Amino acid sequence: MMKETVRKLALARRNALTQREIACKSKAIVQRIEPYLKGTIALYRSYGNEVCIDDVHLKSYGLPVVLHDTSMCFRMWHKGCKMKKGAYGIQEPIEGKVLLADELDVIVVPIVAFDEHLYRLGHGKGYYDRYLKQCRALKIGVAFDCQQVEKVPIEPHDVCLDMIITETCIRKKDHL
């Protein structure tokens, strides 16, 4: 299957979830992910029906900021930090230290679709794949079980994750 076909299928499944199901499943995912959140962490602000990880118990962490040159960086966020709507209507911090890719210990990545081999499909803009290529951090994807597909079509620029956490399981690379 082509990436766009897989993306549409997974988004349709995710969008079929009720807000109550999303909240309940997201809570289970947050509980599963918290033990791995040590050191300097990069998270994301959920949008649409993505897994909501806003309830993670951290005082500060990096959040993505989309830059004009089709790349992104992570800026430290803490309670009270000023935010603005970014390029895709997602809240981004407008102040705080910019984190370099090699400063991150863990990066949590949103997923549109994933497979058992820990490959992910995003929204197709490539921001995360470009960033993950330069990042040595533990790469953890979060998604709902319904977003799993048989096989994500991969290309040379696609980055395999170290771990994917859903509401019912944790899939890891063998060496973890």
Side-chain angles (χ1 to χ4, degrees):
M1 271 200 258
M2 301 294 292
K3 281 187 175 184
E4 200 50 45
T5 305
V6 172
R7 190 175 283 117
K8 283 180 183 172
L9 171 71
L11 285 172
R13 289 181 189 163
R14 189 175 77 188
N15 290 338
L17 296 172
T18 66
Q19 289 306 305
R20 186 178 184 151
E21 288 172 316
I22 290 168
C24 184
K25 292 171 189 285
S26 292
K27 185 175 180 181
I29 292 167
V30 167
Q31 288 173 341
R32 289 177 181 277
I33 199 171
E34 283 190 322
Y36 298 99
L37 301 181
K38 294 177 178 25
T40 304
I41 312 299
L43 299 177
Y44 67 90
R45 289 277 188 219
S46 61
Y47 116 123
N49 286 356
E50 288 178 337
V51 172
C52 179
I53 56 173
D54 295 349
D55 292 339
V56 166
H57 299 295
L58 295 172
K59 288 189 178 3
S60 66
Y61 45 84
L63 284 175
V65 175
V66 174
L67 304 172
H68 300 294
D69 62 356
T70 69
S71 64
M72 72 177 184
C73 69
F74 284 84
R75 191 179 287 276
M76 280 306 284
W77 175 90
H78 56 83
K79 192 172 182 147
C81 183
K82 290 186 175 137
M83 305 278 279
K84 70 171 178 66
K85 277 193 178 180
Y88 298 96
I90 303 169
Q91 292 290 311
E92 299 177 344
I94 57 173
E95 58 188 21
K97 177 186 188 305
V98 172
L99 297 167
L100 301 176
D102 63 1
E103 292 179 281
L104 295 176
D105 296 303
V106 179
I107 182 169
V108 179
V109 182
I111 292 176
V112 169
F114 69 95
D115 65 22
E116 66 182 343
H117 303 291
L118 304 180
Y119 278 100
R120 71 177 273 281
L121 196 57
H123 286 282
K125 304 289 186 214
Y127 291 109
Y128 275 95
D129 282 321
R130 284 190 293 276
Y131 194 87
L132 293 174
K133 278 215 185 295
Q134 56 181 321
C135 187
R136 293 173 316 191
L138 179 67
K139 299 162 185 68
I140 304 175
V142 291
F144 303 118
D145 286 330
C146 67
Q147 294 172 256
Q148 184 170 358
V149 296
E150 189 175 327
K151 184 166 179 24
V152 168
I154 56 172
E155 296 174 36
H157 63 268
D158 292 324
V159 175
C160 185
L161 299 173
D162 297 310
M163 187 182 301
I164 293 177
I165 298 179
T166 71
E167 70 270 22
T168 64
C169 69
I170 298 173
R171 293 165 178 83
K172 303 180 194 181
K173 283 187 176 174
D174 292 337
H175 67 276
L176 293 176

